[in-house]
Amino acid sequence: MCRRPENTMAISSTLRRLAAPAVLAVAFGLCPPARAQAVDDALYQALGQRAGIAALMADVVPRLKADSRLAPFFEKTNLDELARHLTDQVCLVAGGPCKYEGVDMKTAHADFDIRPRDFNALVEVLQLGMERRGLPFQVQNRLLARLAPMHRDVITLR
């Protein structure tokens, strides 16, 4: 069962230590909000709804491929498809009405040798994208907190 920490200051410290991307390798398959309960879409709204999330991914995804630390992971990646999947995942994780239809994170990253430093680099790119879009630090932390659990499925080498 997924738990979402509420203490964003502790989360920020933990995320910086763990580096939680994201997306992102990239893609964020996390715990979807329980649909039986009322979904809190405040984060989705703060991110600018689907359009804002899509704009964020349009900025972040090309940077993933351009970053020398991450480029090898994205050599054969269709960036438009990746941006679409990440938009859907972040939208869902943020409490939006989107549906993610991609593969789970463990499967998506199984054939990659992803180390914690690689995951951290991805989170840095995501944070830069959020800063460039002018998202408040608190909003950034809330999104990173919801994405943080993915590191267990994305990191394949310790």
Side-chain angles (χ1 to χ4, degrees):
M1 174 154 188
C2 290
R3 290 183 296 166
R4 294 188 177 102
E6 296 299 323
N7 183 339
T8 57
M9 294 308 265
I11 291 166
S12 176
S13 169
T14 301
L15 291 177
R16 292 197 192 284
R17 201 172 53 245
L18 293 175
V23 122
L24 289 174
V26 180
F28 304 101
L30 304 173
C31 299
R35 294 295 175 190
Q37 301 171 344
V39 174
D40 176 7
D41 73 344
L43 179 56
Y44 172 71
Q45 298 297 328
L47 291 168
Q49 302 177 355
R50 184 171 181 82
I53 295 167
L56 174 61
M57 292 306 123
D59 180 64
V60 168
V61 168
R63 291 177 189 283
L64 296 173
K65 192 165 187 173
D67 189 298
S68 62
R69 302 168 296 176
L70 299 170
F73 297 108
F74 298 98
E75 286 176 346
K76 299 176 184 177
T77 301
N78 177 321
L79 297 185
D80 291 335
E81 184 177 325
L82 176 60
R84 197 168 37 258
H85 281 301
L86 290 176
T87 297
D88 289 342
Q89 281 190 311
V90 170
C91 176
L92 180 66
V93 168
C98 304
K99 182 177 181 182
Y100 173 71
E101 296 180 347
V103 298
D104 65 273
M105 291 302 94
K106 191 169 221 107
T107 301
H109 298 92
D111 294 333
F112 295 97
D113 292 335
I114 300 173
R115 292 179 158 78
R117 68 175 177 239
D118 305 317
F119 185 83
N120 294 348
L122 184 132
V123 172
E124 288 175 22
V125 172
L126 175 59
Q127 287 177 309
L128 176 63
M130 290 189 291
E131 288 172 12
R132 290 175 52 87
R133 303 234 12 105
L135 293 173
F137 188 70
Q138 182 182 18
V139 172
Q140 294 179 36
N141 274 350
R142 287 171 48 209
L143 177 59
L144 292 172
R146 291 196 186 178
L147 297 174
M150 79 174 190
H151 81 278
R152 290 183 287 253
D153 291 334
V154 172
I155 296 172
T156 57
L157 292 178
R158 303 282 170 194

